PDB file of all heavy atoms in Angstrom:
ATOM      1  N   GLU C  66       1.004 -80.674  40.742  1.00  0.00           N
ATOM      2  CA  GLU C  66       1.821 -80.392  39.610  1.00  0.00           C
ATOM      3  C   GLU C  66       2.584 -81.477  39.020  1.00  0.00           C
ATOM      4  O   GLU C  66       2.690 -81.410  37.655  1.00  0.00           O
ATOM      5  CB  GLU C  66       2.897 -79.188  40.069  1.00  0.00           C
ATOM      6  CG  GLU C  66       2.226 -77.856  40.236  1.00  0.00           C
ATOM      7  CD  GLU C  66       1.461 -77.667  41.551  1.00  0.00           C
ATOM      8  OE1 GLU C  66       1.533 -78.598  42.399  1.00  0.00           O
ATOM      9  OE2 GLU C  66       0.779 -76.643  41.695  1.00  0.00           O
ATOM     10  N   GLN C  88       0.522 -72.448  38.236  1.00  0.00           N
ATOM     11  CA  GLN C  88      -0.066 -71.232  38.651  1.00  0.00           C
ATOM     12  C   GLN C  88       0.960 -70.069  38.969  1.00  0.00           C
ATOM     13  O   GLN C  88       0.691 -68.945  38.669  1.00  0.00           O
ATOM     14  CB  GLN C  88      -0.918 -71.517  39.854  1.00  0.00           C
ATOM     15  CG  GLN C  88      -1.976 -70.567  39.992  1.00  0.00           C
ATOM     16  CD  GLN C  88      -3.172 -71.127  40.929  1.00  0.00           C
ATOM     17  OE1 GLN C  88      -3.068 -71.154  42.119  1.00  0.00           O
ATOM     18  NE2 GLN C  88      -4.263 -71.529  40.245  1.00  0.00           N
ATOM     19  N   PHE C  92       5.694 -72.915  42.399  1.00  0.00           N
ATOM     20  CA  PHE C  92       4.880 -74.123  42.388  1.00  0.00           C
ATOM     21  C   PHE C  92       5.370 -75.040  41.329  1.00  0.00           C
ATOM     22  O   PHE C  92       4.698 -76.084  41.081  1.00  0.00           O
ATOM     23  CB  PHE C  92       3.426 -73.880  42.437  1.00  0.00           C
ATOM     24  CG  PHE C  92       3.015 -72.898  43.523  1.00  0.00           C
ATOM     25  CD1 PHE C  92       2.049 -71.916  43.239  1.00  0.00           C
ATOM     26  CD2 PHE C  92       3.540 -72.880  44.770  1.00  0.00           C
ATOM     27  CE1 PHE C  92       1.690 -71.032  44.311  1.00  0.00           C
ATOM     28  CE2 PHE C  92       3.276 -72.089  45.834  1.00  0.00           C
ATOM     29  CZ  PHE C  92       2.367 -71.061  45.460  1.00  0.00           C
TER      30      PHE C  92
ATOM     31  N   TYR D  86      -2.396 -71.525  55.493  1.00  0.00           N
ATOM     32  CA  TYR D  86      -2.601 -70.008  55.587  1.00  0.00           C
ATOM     33  C   TYR D  86      -3.969 -69.764  56.192  1.00  0.00           C
ATOM     34  O   TYR D  86      -4.203 -68.779  56.762  1.00  0.00           O
ATOM     35  CB  TYR D  86      -2.444 -69.370  54.271  1.00  0.00           C
ATOM     36  CG  TYR D  86      -3.140 -70.184  53.114  1.00  0.00           C
ATOM     37  CD1 TYR D  86      -4.398 -70.174  52.826  1.00  0.00           C
ATOM     38  CD2 TYR D  86      -2.233 -71.189  52.429  1.00  0.00           C
ATOM     39  CE1 TYR D  86      -4.992 -71.031  51.918  1.00  0.00           C
ATOM     40  CE2 TYR D  86      -2.899 -72.017  51.473  1.00  0.00           C
ATOM     41  CZ  TYR D  86      -4.232 -71.988  51.313  1.00  0.00           C
ATOM     42  OH  TYR D  86      -4.790 -72.771  50.426  1.00  0.00           O
ATOM     43  N   ARG D  87      -4.929 -70.784  55.926  1.00  0.00           N
ATOM     44  CA  ARG D  87      -6.312 -70.385  56.193  1.00  0.00           C
ATOM     45  C   ARG D  87      -6.784 -70.931  57.558  1.00  0.00           C
ATOM     46  O   ARG D  87      -7.668 -71.713  57.696  1.00  0.00           O
ATOM     47  CB  ARG D  87      -7.241 -70.952  55.136  1.00  0.00           C
ATOM     48  CG  ARG D  87      -8.667 -70.272  55.149  1.00  0.00           C
ATOM     49  CD  ARG D  87      -9.578 -70.975  54.285  1.00  0.00           C
ATOM     50  NE  ARG D  87      -9.133 -71.168  52.818  1.00  0.00           N
ATOM     51  CZ  ARG D  87      -8.997 -70.217  52.024  1.00  0.00           C
ATOM     52  NH1 ARG D  87      -9.295 -68.948  52.326  1.00  0.00           N
ATOM     53  NH2 ARG D  87      -8.517 -70.437  50.822  1.00  0.00           N
ATOM     54  N   ILE D 126       2.955 -71.773  52.025  1.00  0.00           N
ATOM     55  CA  ILE D 126       1.928 -71.625  51.046  1.00  0.00           C
ATOM     56  C   ILE D 126       2.070 -72.762  50.009  1.00  0.00           C
ATOM     57  O   ILE D 126       1.099 -72.967  49.210  1.00  0.00           O
ATOM     58  CB  ILE D 126       2.040 -70.280  50.317  1.00  0.00           C
ATOM     59  CG1 ILE D 126       1.795 -69.099  51.382  1.00  0.00           C
ATOM     60  CG2 ILE D 126       1.029 -70.045  49.172  1.00  0.00           C
ATOM     61  CD1 ILE D 126       2.048 -67.706  50.836  1.00  0.00           C
ATOM     62  N   ILE D 128       1.321 -75.932  48.735  1.00  0.00           N
ATOM     63  CA  ILE D 128       0.225 -76.798  49.267  1.00  0.00           C
ATOM     64  C   ILE D 128       0.775 -78.304  49.566  1.00  0.00           C
ATOM     65  O   ILE D 128       1.380 -78.908  48.605  1.00  0.00           O
ATOM     66  CB  ILE D 128      -0.941 -76.807  48.220  1.00  0.00           C
ATOM     67  CG1 ILE D 128      -1.507 -75.555  47.979  1.00  0.00           C
ATOM     68  CG2 ILE D 128      -2.085 -77.876  48.611  1.00  0.00           C
ATOM     69  CD1 ILE D 128      -2.316 -74.921  49.135  1.00  0.00           C
ATOM     70  N   ASP D 157      -8.771 -79.764  51.245  1.00  0.00           N
ATOM     71  CA  ASP D 157      -9.196 -80.805  50.360  1.00  0.00           C
ATOM     72  C   ASP D 157      -8.274 -80.856  49.101  1.00  0.00           C
ATOM     73  O   ASP D 157      -7.945 -81.949  48.539  1.00  0.00           O
ATOM     74  CB  ASP D 157     -10.688 -80.645  49.968  1.00  0.00           C
ATOM     75  CG  ASP D 157     -10.954 -79.224  49.578  1.00  0.00           C
ATOM     76  OD1 ASP D 157     -10.805 -78.260  50.389  1.00  0.00           O
ATOM     77  OD2 ASP D 157     -11.371 -78.959  48.377  1.00  0.00           O
ATOM     78  N   GLY D 158      -7.929 -79.734  48.630  1.00  0.00           N
ATOM     79  CA  GLY D 158      -7.096 -79.697  47.420  1.00  0.00           C
ATOM     80  C   GLY D 158      -5.709 -80.322  47.685  1.00  0.00           C
ATOM     81  O   GLY D 158      -5.230 -81.037  46.921  1.00  0.00           O
ATOM     82  N   ALA D 159      -5.199 -80.085  48.917  1.00  0.00           N
ATOM     83  CA  ALA D 159      -3.879 -80.709  49.131  1.00  0.00           C
ATOM     84  C   ALA D 159      -3.956 -82.135  49.224  1.00  0.00           C
ATOM     85  O   ALA D 159      -2.813 -82.874  48.935  1.00  0.00           O
ATOM     86  CB  ALA D 159      -3.513 -80.204  50.671  1.00  0.00           C
ATOM     87  N   ASN D 186     -13.366 -78.026  52.630  1.00  0.00           N
ATOM     88  CA  ASN D 186     -14.219 -76.774  52.479  1.00  0.00           C
ATOM     89  C   ASN D 186     -14.887 -76.706  51.083  1.00  0.00           C
ATOM     90  O   ASN D 186     -15.341 -75.670  50.669  1.00  0.00           O
ATOM     91  CB  ASN D 186     -13.535 -75.528  52.863  1.00  0.00           C
ATOM     92  CG  ASN D 186     -12.356 -75.057  51.897  1.00  0.00           C
ATOM     93  OD1 ASN D 186     -12.127 -75.808  50.887  1.00  0.00           O
ATOM     94  ND2 ASN D 186     -11.634 -74.078  52.210  1.00  0.00           N
ATOM     95  N   TRP D 188     -13.864 -76.476  48.131  1.00  0.00           N
ATOM     96  CA  TRP D 188     -13.200 -75.803  47.108  1.00  0.00           C
ATOM     97  C   TRP D 188     -11.804 -75.710  47.287  1.00  0.00           C
ATOM     98  O   TRP D 188     -11.317 -75.480  48.308  1.00  0.00           O
ATOM     99  CB  TRP D 188     -13.801 -74.435  46.814  1.00  0.00           C
ATOM    100  CG  TRP D 188     -15.164 -74.460  46.401  1.00  0.00           C
ATOM    101  CD1 TRP D 188     -16.285 -74.387  47.154  1.00  0.00           C
ATOM    102  CD2 TRP D 188     -15.771 -74.610  45.040  1.00  0.00           C
ATOM    103  NE1 TRP D 188     -17.518 -74.480  46.492  1.00  0.00           N
ATOM    104  CE2 TRP D 188     -17.180 -74.566  45.172  1.00  0.00           C
ATOM    105  CE3 TRP D 188     -15.165 -74.715  43.826  1.00  0.00           C
ATOM    106  CZ2 TRP D 188     -17.918 -74.674  44.059  1.00  0.00           C
ATOM    107  CZ3 TRP D 188     -15.943 -74.880  42.679  1.00  0.00           C
ATOM    108  CH2 TRP D 188     -17.237 -74.770  42.800  1.00  0.00           C
TER     109      TRP D 188
HETATM  110  C1  LIG E 402       2.057 -76.581  45.222  1.00  0.00           C
HETATM  111  C2  LIG E 402       1.084 -75.522  45.013  1.00  0.00           C
HETATM  112  N1  LIG E 402       0.278 -75.379  43.867  1.00  0.00           N
HETATM  113  C3  LIG E 402      -0.529 -74.438  43.708  1.00  0.00           C
HETATM  114  C4  LIG E 402      -0.742 -73.527  44.686  1.00  0.00           C
HETATM  115  C5  LIG E 402      -1.749 -72.305  44.383  1.00  0.00           C
HETATM  116  N2  LIG E 402      -2.822 -72.404  45.336  1.00  0.00           N
HETATM  117  C6  LIG E 402      -2.922 -71.806  46.453  1.00  0.00           C
HETATM  118  S1  LIG E 402      -4.228 -72.327  47.478  1.00  0.00           S
HETATM  119  C7  LIG E 402      -4.842 -73.331  46.236  1.00  0.00           C
HETATM  120  C8  LIG E 402      -5.997 -74.088  46.584  1.00  0.00           C
HETATM  121  C9  LIG E 402      -5.806 -74.916  47.937  1.00  0.00           C
HETATM  122  O1  LIG E 402      -6.982 -75.601  48.157  1.00  0.00           O
HETATM  123  P1  LIG E 402      -7.220 -76.334  49.590  1.00  0.00           P
HETATM  124  O2  LIG E 402      -6.086 -77.407  49.825  1.00  0.00           O
HETATM  125  O3  LIG E 402      -8.547 -77.091  49.482  1.00  0.00           O
HETATM  126  O4  LIG E 402      -7.161 -75.258  50.678  1.00  0.00           O
HETATM  127  P2  LIG E 402      -8.227 -74.086  50.920  1.00  0.00           P
HETATM  128  O5  LIG E 402      -7.572 -72.893  50.138  1.00  0.00           O
HETATM  129  O6  LIG E 402      -9.526 -74.519  50.364  1.00  0.00           O
HETATM  130  O7  LIG E 402      -8.141 -73.753  52.293  1.00  0.00           O
HETATM  131  C10 LIG E 402      -3.953 -73.329  45.216  1.00  0.00           C
HETATM  132  C11 LIG E 402      -4.113 -74.166  43.959  1.00  0.00           C
HETATM  133  C12 LIG E 402       0.017 -73.585  45.742  1.00  0.00           C
HETATM  134  N3  LIG E 402      -0.079 -72.612  46.763  1.00  0.00           N
HETATM  135  N4  LIG E 402       0.897 -74.585  45.956  1.00  0.00           N
END
Side-chain angles (χ1 to χ4, degrees):
Chain C
E66 284 77 10
Q88 203 161 77
F92 307 137
Chain D
Y86 38 85
R87 199 191 307 289
I126 298 171
I128 299 292
D157 47 298
N186 65 4
W188 293 94

